[in-house]
Amino acid sequence: MKRYYEHRGKDIFLTAGSARDLAPGAFGICAIDGGAQGWSVVHIGPEGDAADLGGEYHFATPEEALEFVRELIDLLNPA
């Protein structure tokens, strides 16, 4: 499963749990245990390393995680 979203020129992918295939600069919303334990948000750095943006915090639904990523992008790139 992989869905693609874009917000202000930034790529956001909803994945089944792995961020390995995402390109540098992309954001990932990853299922934890198939989504049963929530969703995490990661950002892929320039070297291809994934940084967990939520830390210990996980989102109940992928829609909540997507909204978080959009707000984060808005904060990083104000209009």
Side-chain angles (χ1 to χ4, degrees), residues 10-70:
K10 300 292 183 184
D11 295 325
I12 307 168
F13 293 91
L14 178 70
T15 73
S18 176
R20 291 182 199 147
D21 298 335
L22 301 182
F27 289 88
I29 299 171
C30 303
I32 302 169
D33 194 21
Q37 293 187 14
W39 298 81
S40 66
V41 174
V42 298
H43 180 261
I44 309 303
E47 303 297 320
D49 53 323
D52 185 353
L53 299 179
E56 297 285 323
Y57 182 74
H58 298 118
F59 299 90
T61 67
E63 293 83 9
E64 289 176 359
L66 180 59
E67 183 60 30
F68 172 79
V69 173
R70 288 177 174 155

